[in-house]
Amino acid sequence: MKHVVSRKWLLARLYESDLVIVDCRFVMGQPDAGRAAYEESHIPGAVYLDLERDLSAPVEEDGQGGRHPLPDAAELAGRLSRVGIGNDSRVVAYDDQGGAMASRLWWLLRYLGHENVFVLDEGFSAWKKGGYPVNADQKVLIPSTFLATVQHSMLVEMEEVQESLGGEERVLVDSREAPRYRGEVEPLDKKAGHIPGARNKFWKGVLQEDGSFKSPEALAEHFADLPRDKELVVYCGSGVTATPNVLALSEAGFEKVKLYAGSWSDWISYAANPIATRDE
């Protein structure tokens, strides 16, 4: 796979000097749980980056930008530099949330022009359960220099989504669970439903029962009903769990894939935006 590495792959490279391992564990609604888990035990040498403090900007009062707005590129580049990530680093991200948080960092690094980034398959619990090494040692951080080259083409803004409604040049992909997509429940946002015309592909559908990513061939089959000749715009509730779908679409060979980073929580912050509540 292009973007996902195995436990054996990481173990073999654990102490190579250009490798930076990033613990991205985070529990929605429990903002301190991820760091606490990291401090208790982590993959040796790993540094910690927090979804809300490091990998998101502060939430705007009007909700525009969504619940996890994209961080400022220069500020994020500074944070990456401080934990030792430079332009020559190989980065492996992991979490314990099926790859959702690790995929956020994977996407952000690629958005800043850094291609040499991977997600650890199955995450921390599988690593530990498999008998691979863990410890609680805090790595001495040696700052590096990360210079961002922002890839604006990876992103779609809300106005572009508005303009494409009812058109045929883009296909919207909603990454949330089906009941949320259909508007039957909404545990996190103020309005229920989905962006009109969006197709539902729950992000956990890219995983096998054991929590590992499906093979590229299986992912191609999973996404077989999506067109390869049109631009796919992937979103979720806040732009986080859309990123495993973006990663998986790339693994499946789709080339025209973009992220609507503000996602549903941004969309509903504009009162005039239409909402749909049925299967499409």
Side-chain angles (χ1 to χ4, degrees), residues 239-270:
V240 177
T241 58
T243 56
N245 263 347
V246 174
L247 183 153
L249 283 161
S250 178
E251 291 286 7
F254 287 79
E255 296 178 351
K256 300 179 179 182
V257 183
K258 297 188 178 184
L259 177 71
Y260 172 25
S263 287
W264 179 247
S265 53
D266 175 60
W267 182 258
I268 61 171
S269 72
Y270 298 86

Side-chain angles (χ1 to χ4, degrees), residues 69-197:
L70 286 187
D72 175 80
E75 288 185 16
L76 178 58
R79 291 191 191 108
L80 297 171
S81 297
R82 286 192 291 276
V83 298
I85 297 174
N87 295 95
D88 295 327
S89 300
R90 281 181 301 166
V91 181
V92 175
Y94 71 87
D95 59 34
D96 236 353
Q97 285 72 41
M101 312 303 160
S103 294
R104 168 76 164 202
L105 178 59
W106 169 87
W107 188 90
L108 283 170
L109 277 164
R110 291 170 64 84
Y111 175 64
L112 297 187
H114 191 79
E115 297 278 333
N116 210 355
V117 54
F118 309 92
V119 170
L120 177 64
D121 207 9
E122 299 181 78
F124 180 75
S125 287
W127 172 276
K128 186 176 180 179
K129 188 176 179 181
Y132 292 80
V134 301
N135 63 35
D137 298 344
Q138 298 289 317
K139 182 179 181 180
V140 176
L141 297 180
I142 302 173
S144 188
T145 302
F146 187 94
L147 299 176
T149 307
V150 177
Q151 309 295 305
H152 293 288
S153 62
M154 292 174 58
L155 202 58
V156 168
E157 302 292 347
M158 189 278 296
E159 292 79 7
E160 295 174 89
V161 178
Q162 277 182 328
E163 290 167 6
S164 63
L165 290 183
E168 299 199 356
E169 70 275 13
R170 290 191 178 109
V171 174
L172 293 167
V173 180
D174 188 311
S175 305
R176 299 170 300 161
E177 289 184 83
R180 287 184 72 193
Y181 165 81
R182 292 192 295 263
E184 296 164 3
V185 297
E186 184 44 69
L188 297 169
D189 293 307
K190 294 178 180 178
K191 297 179 183 178
H194 62 266
I195 301 173

